Amino acid sequence: MKFFIDTANLEEIREAQALGVLDGVTTNPSLMAKEGISGDENVIQHYIDICEIVDGDVSAEVIATDFDGMVEEGTKLASLHKQIVVKIPMIQEGIKALKYFSDKEIKTNCTLIFSPGQALIAAKAGANYVSPFIGRLDDATTDGPELIAQIRLIYDNYGYETEILAASIRHSMHIIKCAEYGADVATCPLSAILGLLKHPLTDIGLAKFLADHKKASSVTV
Ligand code: E4P
C-alpha cells in the first residue's frame, strides 16, 4: 500500500518524507488556501517546492470546470515537473478532460468520488487514480470505507489499472480499513500516519526493557 500525505504544508511533508515511507502528496485548493498560497506564481512555485521534497506523485488540482479550461490549466501544471499528477473533478467536463490527458499520457487523479459509478466511469476515461472521499461519506452517515471495497471489486472484475487512492482520511483506523479493503494508496494527514506507530503496550514494553537494562548494568560483579 502506498502512503501519500494530504497537505500543502511543507514542514509536514518534510517530516513525513524523513520517515522514509512517503510515496507522494495530494493537495487541493482548500489545502493550498490554508497555507496562504495564492496567485499563479506562488502556486506554481509551491508545487515545485513540494516535488523537490518528495520522490513520488504530487497531485495538483485544476480550478477550471470547463473542458478547455481544464486542458489548458492541466497541461500547464503537468509541465511544471515530471511528478505532477493533474487532479480533475468528477464532473461531465472532467470525464472528457481525463480522456484527453490519458490519450496524451499525462497522469490524472479524479477527485470528489463518492459512488462506485463515479469510480467506474473515471476508470473508463483512463484516470490513473480515483480519490474516494471516505471521511466525508462517514460524516454523512454513510460507510466510507465500504466504498473502497465496492470499487476494488469492480476494478478487479474488469482489470482496470486505475489506482484507488483513498482520500479524506481522518484517522489511523481509516488507513487500516482501506488496507483491508484493498485501496492501492491512502492519502492521509500526518497525524493518521504517525498514529499507526502507536500502541500503549509498546510504550510499556520499551520502558520495562530499558529499566531492566539499567538495573542489570548497575549490578557490580
Ligand atoms: C484528497 O485528495 C483531498 O485533498 C482530501 O483528502 C479531502 O479531505 P477532507 O475531506 O479532509 O477535506
Side-chain angles (χ1 to χ4, degrees):
M1 186 188 206
K2 287 188 252 181
F3 282 6
F4 288 2
I5 188 165
D6 193 30
T7 183
N9 182 290
L10 299 182
E11 275 317 302
E12 287 186 6
I13 295 170
R14 280 193 196 95
E15 192 177 338
Q17 174 66 22
L19 277 176
V21 297
L22 193 64
D23 300 296
V25 178
T26 52
T27 62
N28 65 36
S30 305
L31 293 170
M32 294 291 274
K34 192 173 159 198
E35 300 306 316
I37 313 296
S38 64
D40 281 0
E41 278 180 27
N42 292 333
V43 168
I44 283 170
Q45 188 53 52
H46 204 74
Y47 286 137
I48 293 171
D49 290 346
I50 293 174
C51 290
E52 283 171 0
I53 298 171
V54 179
D55 186 20
D57 285 347
V58 174
S59 286
E61 188 161 341
V62 298
I63 306 298
T65 54
D66 63 299
F67 173 76
D68 289 338
M70 282 190 257
V71 164
E72 188 186 335
E73 219 182 308
T75 304
K76 196 169 163 193
L77 287 170
S79 73
L80 296 179
H81 199 284
K82 62 179 185 338
Q83 288 164 236
I84 293 282
V85 173
V86 182
K87 208 171 179 188
I88 303 279
M90 167 40 70
I91 53 177
Q92 196 164 339
E93 294 289 281
I95 291 298
K96 296 181 206 166
L98 289 172
K99 180 72 173 81
Y100 172 90
F101 287 122
S102 168
D103 290 345
K104 299 260 178 237
E105 296 188 354
I106 289 174
K107 285 181 92 173
T108 53
N109 171 1
C110 185
T111 190
L112 293 166
I113 296 283
F114 292 94
S115 75
Q118 291 178 322
L120 175 58
I121 194 164
K124 253 193 103 55
N128 296 86
Y129 296 102
V130 286
S131 291
F133 277 34
I134 65 167
R136 292 193 198 182
L137 280 170
D138 278 359
D139 292 345
T141 64
T142 300
D143 187 342
E146 175 62 23
L147 176 59
I148 303 295
Q150 290 175 298
I151 300 172
R152 179 78 282 151
L153 178 66
I154 291 168
Y155 283 6
D156 289 351
N157 280 348
Y158 297 99
Y160 286 120
E161 288 177 8
T162 302
E163 292 187 64
I164 304 171
L165 196 175
S168 186
I169 284 183
R170 305 266 193 257
H171 47 71
S172 306
M173 269 315 289
H174 268 158
I175 304 178
I176 303 298
K177 281 284 158 208
C178 289
E180 285 176 359
Y181 290 153
D184 299 287
V185 191
T187 189
C188 322
L190 181 60
S191 58
I193 297 174
L194 295 178
L196 294 174
L197 305 171
K198 293 183 189 137
H199 197 288
L201 289 177
T202 303
D203 298 338
I204 293 167
L206 181 60
K208 173 104 172 70
F209 286 155
L210 295 180
D212 288 346
H213 173 75
K214 198 171 167 191
K215 220 185 295 167
S217 309
S218 65
V219 174
T220 46
V221 268

